Amino acid sequence: MDEPSSRNSSLQRKKPPWLKLDIPTIQLTPDDTPAPNQPVRRLRSVSMPGENPQTCIAALETSNNYLRPPAERLPSITQSIKRGTADWFGVSKDSDSTQRWRRKSLQHCSHLYGGLKTQVMREMELHSQDNLSLASTETPPPLYLPPLHPSHHHYGMQRGRTLGESTAGRRRRRSFMPPSFFEDDTADFPDDLDTSFFTREGLQDELSSYADEVFETPSEAALKQLDESELTGSALDRNELERSHLMMPLERGWRKAKAGSAVQPKVRLKQEVVSVNSHQQRGQRIVVPVKKLFAREKRPYGLGIVGRLTNRSYRKRIDSYVKRQIEDMDDHRPFFTYWITCVHLLITILAVTIYGIAPIGFSQHETVDSVLRNKGVYENVKFVQQQNFWVGPSSEALIHLGAKFSPCMRQDEEIHKLIQEKRALERESGCCVRNDRSGCLQTLQEECSSTLAVWVKWPQHPSAPSLNSKLRQHGAVCHQDPRICLEPASVSPHEWPDDITSWPVCTRFNSGNHTNLPHIDCTITGRPCCIGTKGRCEITSREYCDFMHGYFHEEATLCSQVACMDDVCGLLPFLNPEVPDQFSRLWLSLFLHAGILHCLVSVLFQMTVLRDIEKLAGWLRISIIYMLSGITGNLASAIFLPYRAEVGPAGSQFGILACLFVELFQSWQILERPWRAFAKLLAISVFFFSFGLLPWIDNFAHICGFVSGFFLSFAFLPYISFGRSDMYRKRVQICVFLLIFLGLFSALAVLFYIYPVKCDWCEYLTCIPITDKFCEKYDLNAHLL
């Protein structure tokens, strides 16, 4: 019985009905006879019935050509040395033709299947192919990609290379397989090559597993046929993934799981699809983080963005009751975060556009110029302004916009005392009329020259009017007299009092040209000007007032007739001009920022930490914590730092930071290594508190905002319970911490409005004087040189 025919018949019985085996006959020379101890290797040429049979025939012919040995004899030793030397120096004709054939093959492969990676091309340029074997079990992990276009017909791949390319390398090295290589293909090594490897369906899945290791870009046909909707880079559907991409490990290699098999995959089903489209990959570094930022994924309790940054994780064993509570927690959209962020950006843009940008820096900015002042001569005046390193408006502009500033929220004792002293001096003032008729100015007697001017003072001057049959004791006032004012007129019973600081502003005068009164007929050269953030009033020229960035009152003649604190504070006027009442600054300042950089820091914090917490707690709870923490922090800052203009949601942000601590404490029992998580979070908080030692940053708002946010978080943040007793304990805890917060807020309100305190050393808790003027008072001052 013929041995080859028996083996062929055995092979025909074992092959599938659709499988056609083409076993070429090779005539071997005596030199090519394999040694007895040489390992047996096999290769089979397989064709599959398909729509285009010519493709299969071409594949078989190509395979036979690669396997057909040359008819020439072995070269001699001299020829081998010459050929090896030529190959070494790259001048061999065979080497040139081989390189040309390889370049054409790479171009053809790149056109059909996509560009090869640099690493793969480097490996293909090596002369040794000993590391390749059909029985290799090393395969890269599968990567799920969209299936390739069905028009692509591949004849086989071995570790990312085609079967024809692998055999071509052996042909060049004259390492031909013995005839037994083609016989009994399934008898000895049934798992070396799976039949699905050569099928059209199997090739698509196998190539998808090698694509990331071999091919760098997709083929041109795939780029034309793949729809952009399939290349979004998002996670695959779980059912579709299990149906079409579930891979199960075999003894060697990978293959698709059979229909109905219940084998669980060893890869995560949450693996993302890598986009194959090259033009979409250009923007993936930006698009993917943005998509993750706005992704609607549920926020895990106890972890969140800070937990991911600090490598926080759950314990391996968690009670089912606790698990159920975590799974049942609601997932919220961060509407409040988006709203407050848009408001912050809009207000900052408007503030910078309208009020401009102050000098940038950490110290004070000085401007010196010659200005016409009260005496009618030019004087060198220095204007001192605090710099703003946040790149934003000046301190007085921020106060005008609604910054936290105690003198605008209550009647400050120090400022009220300064105003009363100014009025007492003004009560004893008179009108200084120059002899050359160049003008007149309301001054004290020591400020008026006795040789160059006349100081008109009642009752010594003969122009003094009478009141209730007595001469007035106070006056005169430049350009104002009760005898010539028509509105409001000084008539009984509404006569103007003797105290000139109580006189009203005269809005209409007698139209006469000459009154024979020196303080009325002169040209007034100075009117009230409100300068600085403490409402300092001076009667001076308009030029000097503009240079000092003050508020010039053209209609008034005395400082007692203007409310400088109303000008400084802005917003709505006080109900009583003597008593500031803008307590709304406690929450209005939460929407303002000291500059562009300050706003960017707030936006970064809110779009990360605040957004993450709001997804857990919801917009209502987080807005309550945010606003109340900010108000409490601003109230504490107004008590201990009353004369510093502060803006920004610093107290609110540290109240949100306290929420992270409360969440950590509430989930302490389900976290892995909670002490380590606490230490990392504490280090981050200390780092943030250290920024409060810089100027224009309030540490009192940070501290009190953090404390109030800590109490409010226990009352408003959702929690998980670890039993009935723990649930009752946390309910009592909610009431206790609410009462503590109310007590804290009430105590601060009493200290602010009823029993104000003055703490000189408290400023060192919020600003360390690195230089002499690093923590200077933020007030505008003028100094004569």
Side-chain angles (χ1 to χ4, degrees):
M1 185 176 183
D2 193 5
E3 184 178 357
S5 61
S6 62
R7 290 182 178 178
N8 290 336
S9 61
S10 174
L11 186 61
Q12 292 293 333
R13 289 194 302 269
K14 294 180 180 180
K15 74 179 185 65
W18 53 267
L19 183 65
K20 178 182 178 181
L21 301 178
D22 186 6
I23 305 176
T25 302
I26 299 177
Q27 300 294 333
L28 298 179
T29 63
D31 297 335
D32 296 331
T33 305
N37 57 353
Q38 183 178 358
V40 180
R41 298 204 171 183
R42 309 164 319 286
L43 182 66
R44 59 184 176 184
S45 172
V46 185
S47 63
M48 184 192 70
E51 299 175 359
N52 189 3
Q54 297 180 357
T55 306
C56 302
I57 297 174
L60 294 177
E61 292 177 356
T62 305
S63 177
N64 294 335
N65 292 333
Y66 286 152
L67 295 175
R68 186 176 297 114
E72 60 188 18
R73 299 179 57 85
L74 288 174
S76 62
I77 298 177
T78 305
Q79 293 177 350
S80 299
I81 294 176
K82 290 182 178 180
R83 180 175 299 178
T85 305
D87 292 339
W88 174 263
F89 289 100
V91 295
S92 174
K93 296 182 178 180
D94 295 340
S95 178
D96 295 339
S97 60
T98 302
Q99 293 297 332
R100 286 195 300 270
W101 178 87
R102 187 178 293 272
R103 283 195 298 268
K104 292 181 180 180
S105 300
L106 290 178
Q107 293 177 1
H108 181 69
C109 181
S110 301
H111 176 75
L112 288 181
Y113 315 127
L116 297 178
K117 287 190 174 181
T118 308
Q119 180 181 0
V120 178
M121 296 180 65
R122 195 182 306 117
E123 293 176 359
M124 294 178 64
E125 291 175 359
L126 299 177
H127 295 283
S128 176
Q129 303 292 333
D130 296 337
N131 58 336
L132 299 177
S133 66
L134 295 175
S136 175
T137 60
E138 300 178 0
T139 56
L143 178 67
Y144 300 136
L145 293 173
L148 297 178
H149 195 268
S151 63
H152 294 178
H153 300 287
H154 311 293
Y155 306 114
M157 292 190 66
Q158 299 177 8
R159 299 185 62 181
R161 305 182 184 182
T162 60
L163 183 62
E165 181 182 347
S166 174
T167 55
R170 295 191 186 94
R171 179 184 176 183
R172 289 192 299 271
R173 298 176 62 247
R174 297 179 57 82
S175 57
F176 299 103
M177 299 297 104
S180 59
F181 179 84
F182 305 98
E183 300 172 358
D184 269 341
D185 186 43
T186 58
D188 298 328
F189 303 98
D191 291 330
D192 283 356
L193 291 174
D194 192 82
T195 55
S196 62
F197 183 87
F198 296 92
T199 62
R200 185 175 303 177
E201 180 182 3
L203 278 173
Q204 293 175 2
D205 294 334
E206 284 291 329
L207 286 175
S208 66
S209 65
Y210 287 101
D212 189 63
E213 299 291 336
V214 178
F215 299 109
E216 185 178 18
T217 58
S219 62
E220 296 181 1
L223 290 176
K224 294 179 181 179
Q225 295 296 331
L226 288 175
D227 191 5
E228 292 183 358
S229 61
E230 299 177 0
L231 305 176
T232 57
S234 58
L236 287 176
D237 182 70
R238 181 186 180 94
N239 297 330
E240 182 181 357
L241 182 62
E242 292 178 350
R243 181 175 66 252
S244 60
H245 290 81
L246 183 60
M247 310 295 289
M248 56 181 296
L250 300 176
E251 294 181 0
R252 300 178 179 87
W254 294 78
R255 65 182 176 86
K256 290 184 61 177
K258 297 180 180 180
S261 61
V263 180
Q264 296 295 332
K266 290 189 177 182
V267 294
R268 297 181 181 270
L269 293 178
K270 203 176 180 180
Q271 187 174 0
E272 293 184 352
V273 181
V274 179
S275 177
V276 221
N277 207 334
S278 59
H279 67 84
Q280 290 187 358
Q281 288 182 348
R282 295 192 185 100
Q284 290 300 314
R285 294 184 180 179
I286 301 176
V287 174
V288 172
V290 173
K291 287 184 177 180
K292 289 183 178 180
L293 182 64
F294 295 95
R296 295 189 60 178
E297 55 183 8
K298 188 173 182 180
R299 198 263 195 192
Y301 185 81
L303 301 181
I305 185 171
V306 178
R308 291 195 297 268
L309 292 177
T310 57
N311 297 326
R312 194 184 303 174
S313 60
Y314 288 137
R315 292 185 177 180
K316 295 181 180 180
R317 296 182 179 180
I318 301 179
D319 186 72
S320 59
Y321 175 70
V322 178
K323 276 186 178 180
R324 194 178 308 112
Q325 293 182 73
I326 297 176
E327 294 174 356
D328 292 343
M329 282 190 173
D330 296 331
D331 186 26
H332 303 274
R333 293 299 301 273
F335 296 114
F336 177 77
T337 301
Y338 298 151
W339 176 79
I340 196 70
T341 302
C342 292
V343 171
H344 283 167
L345 291 173
L346 180 61
I347 293 180
T348 302
I349 293 174
L350 292 177
V352 173
T353 303
I354 296 175
Y355 290 92
I357 297 177
I360 302 173
F362 292 90
S363 60
Q364 291 181 339
H365 179 74
E366 297 180 355
T367 305
V368 181
D369 198 0
S370 296
V371 179
L372 181 64
R373 292 203 67 192
N374 303 341
K375 298 180 182 180
V377 295
Y378 283 89
E379 302 177 5
N380 290 330
V381 181
K382 179 171 62 176
F383 172 65
V384 182
Q385 184 181 13
Q386 183 69 28
Q387 295 177 345
N388 184 358
F389 69 94
W390 289 116
V391 191
S394 61
S395 58
E396 59 176 354
L398 294 175
I399 293 174
H400 208 71
L401 285 170
K404 184 274 306 174
F405 191 59
S406 295
C408 297
M409 302 162 62
R410 66 178 181 185
Q411 188 178 37
D412 188 80
E413 293 182 358
E414 182 178 347
I415 294 181
H416 182 70
K417 183 180 178 180
L418 293 175
I419 293 176
Q420 295 301 324
E421 292 176 356
K422 181 67 178 178
R423 288 186 177 182
L425 295 175
E426 191 176 54
R427 192 177 293 113
E428 303 299 329
S429 65
C431 183
C432 182
V433 182
R434 299 187 183 93
N435 295 332
D436 58 356
R437 295 185 180 182
S438 59
C440 55
L441 185 71
Q442 190 77 17
T443 62
L444 296 175
Q445 185 177 5
E446 54 269 18
E447 297 177 0
C448 183
S449 176
S450 58
T451 58
L452 300 178
V454 176
W455 190 54
V456 180
K457 174 63 178 169
W458 297 338
Q460 291 84 3
H461 197 270
S463 63
S466 61
L467 176 64
N468 298 327
S469 302
K470 294 182 181 180
L471 293 177
R472 290 181 177 268
Q473 301 298 315
H474 302 284
V477 178
C478 296
H479 257 236
Q480 188 170 5
D481 194 287
R483 292 169 292 186
I484 64 170
C485 184
L486 300 181
E487 289 184 3
S490 177
V491 294
S492 180
H494 301 290
E495 292 181 329
W496 291 4
D498 185 47
D499 186 4
I500 61 175
T501 59
S502 301
W503 284 10
V505 176
C506 185
T507 58
R508 190 164 68 92
F509 298 91
N510 192 352
S511 58
N513 294 330
H514 298 280
T515 60
N516 295 325
L517 299 175
H519 61 284
I520 297 297
D521 296 338
C522 65
T523 302
I524 190 169
T525 59
R527 291 185 181 272
C529 176
C530 298
I531 302 173
T533 58
K534 294 183 180 180
R536 178 168 55 92
C537 181
E538 292 185 13
I539 296 180
T540 183
S541 62
R542 176 183 286 276
E543 184 179 357
Y544 175 79
C545 187
D546 294 339
F547 177 77
M548 298 300 297
H549 294 210
Y551 300 93
F552 190 77
H553 293 270
E554 186 72 35
E555 76 285 353
T557 56
L558 298 173
C559 284
S560 58
Q561 296 175 346
V562 298
C564 284
M565 289 308 303
D566 207 350
D567 294 332
V568 171
C569 297
L571 299 180
L572 296 176
F574 305 143
L575 297 178
N576 183 358
E578 303 292 334
V579 182
D581 54 4
Q582 295 179 353
F583 58 89
S584 59
R585 292 176 177 268
L586 289 175
W587 59 82
L588 287 180
S589 60
L590 301 179
F591 301 95
L592 298 174
H593 288 84
I596 298 175
L597 297 181
H598 192 193
C599 182
L600 293 179
V601 172
S602 296
V603 170
L604 178 62
F605 179 87
Q606 290 167 180
M607 292 304 295
T608 54
V609 180
L610 178 61
R611 176 179 173 272
D612 184 66
I613 290 292
E614 188 180 355
K615 292 176 67 175
L616 175 68
W619 71 269
L620 181 59
R621 300 186 183 194
I622 210 65
S623 61
I624 293 175
I625 298 175
Y626 187 92
M627 297 301 296
L628 291 182
S629 299
I631 292 173
T632 308
N634 284 340
L635 186 58
S637 175
I639 293 174
F640 297 104
L641 299 173
Y643 306 116
R644 285 181 55 176
E646 299 290 345
V647 292
S652 301
Q653 293 170 358
F654 275 79
I656 298 301
L657 187 62
C659 294
L660 301 177
F661 281 90
V662 174
E663 184 189 14
L664 176 62
F665 296 151
Q666 298 281 30
S667 58
W668 191 273
Q669 302 181 32
I670 64 175
L671 293 180
E672 189 78 20
R673 295 187 295 272
W675 281 107
R676 179 180 296 182
F678 175 75
K680 292 180 180 179
L681 189 59
L682 183 62
I684 294 175
S685 303
V686 172
F687 175 75
F688 287 154
F689 274 110
S690 63
F691 277 98
L693 301 177
L694 295 175
W696 288 64
I697 302 178
D698 191 1
N699 232 1
F700 286 101
H702 293 174
I703 296 172
C704 292
F706 182 86
V707 173
S708 59
F710 186 82
F711 296 149
L712 291 170
S713 299
F714 275 106
F716 290 101
L717 278 186
Y719 62 88
I720 56 175
S721 59
F722 300 91
R724 185 174 297 273
S725 60
D726 183 66
M727 181 178 60
Y728 290 144
R729 181 181 62 84
K730 289 182 177 178
R731 290 180 180 178
V732 174
Q733 181 178 273
I734 292 175
C735 301
V736 171
F737 280 107
L738 273 179
L739 293 176
I740 293 176
F741 170 76
L742 292 177
L744 173 65
F745 188 82
S746 302
L748 293 176
V750 169
L751 290 177
F752 182 70
Y753 284 105
I754 301 177
Y755 300 103
V757 296
K758 185 177 181 180
C759 181
D760 296 331
W761 59 269
C762 291
E763 294 186 0
Y764 295 101
L765 295 177
T766 185
C767 185
I768 297 178
I770 301 176
T771 61
D772 296 338
K773 298 181 180 181
F774 190 73
C775 300
E776 193 75 16
K777 302 286 185 181
Y778 302 148
D779 191 14
L780 304 181
N781 300 289
H783 306 278
L784 295 179
L785 297 179

